[in-house]
Amino acid sequence: MENCIFCKIIKGELPSHKVYEDENTLAFLDIRPNNPGHTLVVPKDHFENIYTTPDETLARTILSAKKVAVAIKNSLDADGINIGMNNEEAAGQVIFHTHIHIIPRYKTDGFKHWPQKEYKEGEAETIAEKIKNELGE
Ligand code: 5GP
Ligand code: ZN
């Protein structure tokens, strides 16, 4: 993809702080970290998001993410690790090349967790049915 920043990082056309690389995946520091050590793991092939990334590519990417997550936890003394992925603009995706965020967390970092809601009476059943039907369950 010609104008993809992450493809340019993969090809070495843009600088980055790489922390891990194998045949199919690359991990490098996020330029604006939530906490120092915040790392992005990407497949070397360009896919836009989780929906269009082939299973095997996604599997390799999450396995690299696991490896990097353990290394971040151990080397930076993280108390925990958030692993996340934004898919589509509404979910906060800004770079449209599949990537997994690995964010070291500390008891003292002061971040709030996602706000939680309550289901209305009967709503959870309806929602679960919709998802199950789509999955053919
Ligand atoms: P998204 O919101 O798409 O899930 O996350 C994109 C991430 O890429 C952001 O956290 C942002 O800080 C990071 N980012 C954007 N441009 C660059 C760049 O040129 N280099 C690096 N290393 N990270 C970038
Ligand atoms: Zn790309």
Side-chain angles (χ1 to χ4, degrees):
M1 278 292 286
E2 243 164 58
N3 287 321
C4 173
I5 291 176
F6 289 175
C7 281
K8 287 183 180 166
I9 287 174
I10 291 159
K11 283 190 252 169
E13 294 171 7
L14 282 177
S16 70
H17 292 95
K18 295 179 184 174
V19 298
Y20 177 75
E21 181 168 17
D22 61 22
E23 198 184 334
N24 303 290
T25 66
L26 178 70
F28 52 92
L29 297 185
D30 192 299
I31 205 167
R32 295 190 64 231
N34 295 124
N35 274 328
H38 180 166
T39 296
L40 303 172
V41 183
V42 301
K44 287 185 175 175
D45 293 333
H46 179 94
F47 300 100
E48 200 165 305
N49 54 36
I50 195 169
Y51 320 131
T52 53
T53 305
D55 289 357
E56 197 178 324
T57 305
L58 198 61
R60 287 175 166 147
T61 309
I62 192 68
L63 289 175
S64 293
K66 179 182 178 183
K67 201 174 276 191
V68 172
V70 172
I72 289 174
K73 174 160 174 59
N74 292 341
S75 62
L76 303 182
D77 280 330
D79 298 319
I81 299 275
N82 281 128
I83 293 181
M85 187 176 187
N86 303 324
N87 294 283
E88 298 191 85
E89 200 178 334
Q93 188 174 9
V94 174
I95 306 288
F96 294 91
H97 180 126
T98 295
H99 56 280
I100 296 173
H101 292 257
I102 302 176
I103 304 166
R105 294 295 308 275
Y106 298 90
K107 288 175 186 163
T108 53
D109 65 24
F111 294 165
K112 298 270 182 276
H113 288 282
W114 286 78
Q116 290 181 286
K117 301 179 177 181
E118 301 289 338
Y119 280 114
K120 296 188 206 87
E121 182 71 32
E123 191 186 6
E125 287 75 7
T126 310
I127 296 284
E129 275 310 311
K130 282 188 182 179
I131 299 169
K132 277 161 56 182
N133 285 342
E134 182 64 28
L135 288 165
E137 292 294 306

